[in-house]
Amino acid sequence: MRLRNIPEAKEIVANSRFVIHDPEEQRGRWKQELERPLFIEIGTGKGRFLIETAQQHPEADYLGVELYESVLFRACLRMEGVPYNTPRDKIERAEHPELDADFVTPPNLHFLCMDARGLPDVFAPGEVDGIYLNFSDPWPKARHAKRRLTSRQFLHSYEKYLQDGGFIEFKTDNRVLFDFSVDEIKEAPHFELTSVTYDLHHDPVLSAGNIMTEYERKFSALGNRICRLTAVFHIQ
């Protein structure tokens, strides 16, 4: 998918109080400073899932990792109370949008604008308690398999900063990508599949407490089944 250039996006992200701009300086210090469980979402997009998750769980801290400023700026604006549906042209013209008076900014959520491959330079071993992967890019061509966020290459990367007993939770409507992910995790020596469903919204147990992403709302409305898995990391 080709991303549209948003002239104001870079400035919005650069000036946002919710974006941590030098996260490498925090390596080895996250646990000391936060003193609470830390969960990250890789590919946070506009932030709907993680914002709602942080609102519902004030006892933990959350970091949303997004590569593209042209996407992340929406999450930054939402944290300021700007509705998601604010027209792009209004933002591009730097007009002050109307604010959502009912929105409550979660103080336990921040963002990183970076490539996920660099996360081992941001987190020391054991600093992250859980990783959310929601509707990740499927990279359908076989030669691009290593770019998938559930590939063995990325699983090895997660081992460098996940806490022993930490988890990966992955959701998608792409059955080919999901089957690939299940197979990759089964072959990973330090990960254990603890739950798998091919129809999350009709699973009375696993759907309990489920927070839907934007893509999840869109695809489920089209009748697509949502797949979800959870895998737990064990050092030994």
Side-chain angles (χ1 to χ4, degrees):
M1 179 178 68
R2 188 170 184 176
L3 296 174
R4 177 181 172 181
N5 179 47
I6 309 296
E8 297 298 318
K10 186 173 183 178
E11 182 179 357
I12 290 171
V13 172
N15 294 326
S16 176
R17 59 195 170 109
F18 301 107
V19 178
I20 300 174
H21 298 289
D22 298 303
E24 294 85 0
E25 296 181 2
Q26 290 288 109
R27 191 177 190 272
R29 297 164 50 192
W30 295 100
K31 288 289 187 180
Q32 298 173 13
E33 297 191 5
L34 297 177
E35 298 182 345
R36 300 190 296 184
L38 175 62
F39 302 95
I40 68 173
E41 180 186 24
I42 300 178
T44 201
K46 298 177 182 179
R48 184 185 294 271
F49 168 81
L50 210 56
I51 288 173
E52 188 172 341
T53 300
Q55 288 172 329
Q56 293 188 16
H57 296 280
E59 74 283 357
D61 284 288
Y62 297 88
L63 287 172
V65 181
E66 175 57 50
L67 176 60
Y68 301 107
E69 295 163 328
S70 57
V71 178
L72 182 59
F73 86 101
R74 283 285 188 183
C76 295
L77 290 177
R78 185 57 180 153
M79 291 286 280
E80 299 286 358
V82 178
Y84 286 115
N85 58 359
T86 300
R88 280 177 170 174
D89 59 348
K90 192 171 185 178
I91 294 171
E92 291 170 4
R93 292 196 300 268
E95 295 181 8
H96 186 71
E98 296 180 0
L99 301 182
D100 181 355
D102 296 326
F103 178 76
V104 178
T105 300
N108 55 333
L109 171 60
H110 291 82
F111 304 111
L112 308 179
C113 189
M114 62 176 294
D115 191 317
R117 289 174 292 186
L119 289 177
D121 296 324
V122 171
F123 302 112
E127 286 200 299
V128 174
D129 293 86
I131 300 172
Y132 296 103
L133 307 172
N134 292 312
F135 296 84
S136 309
D137 191 328
W139 291 102
K141 295 182 179 180
R143 68 175 184 272
H144 293 154
K146 65 181 180 181
R147 300 186 185 183
R148 299 168 191 163
L149 292 180
T150 50
S151 68
R152 63 194 63 187
Q153 289 84 0
F154 270 103
L155 292 175
H156 179 65
S157 176
Y158 304 148
E159 293 177 3
K160 297 178 181 179
Y161 51 86
L162 260 179
Q163 179 177 306
D164 188 18
F167 68 84
I168 294 173
E169 181 180 288
F170 173 58
K171 287 196 289 187
T172 184
D173 71 319
N174 187 312
R175 180 60 185 269
V176 174
L177 176 60
F178 191 72
D179 288 343
F180 165 86
S181 304
V182 169
D183 290 341
E184 290 289 276
I185 291 172
K186 284 182 177 179
E187 293 298 319
H190 297 293
F191 282 95
E192 174 192 5
L193 275 172
T194 55
S195 70
V196 176
T197 179
Y198 295 90
D199 193 359
L200 175 62
H201 294 176
H202 290 92
D203 188 311
V205 175
L206 296 181
S207 64
N210 179 57
I211 295 175
M212 289 202 289
T213 73
E214 288 193 358
Y215 281 126
E216 187 172 354
R217 294 173 188 271
K218 175 182 177 180
F219 294 143
S220 61
L222 294 173
N224 297 6
R225 293 184 178 182
I226 307 302
C227 305
R228 191 181 81 179
L229 65 80
T230 303
V232 174
F233 170 63
H234 300 292
I235 294 177
Q236 298 296 334

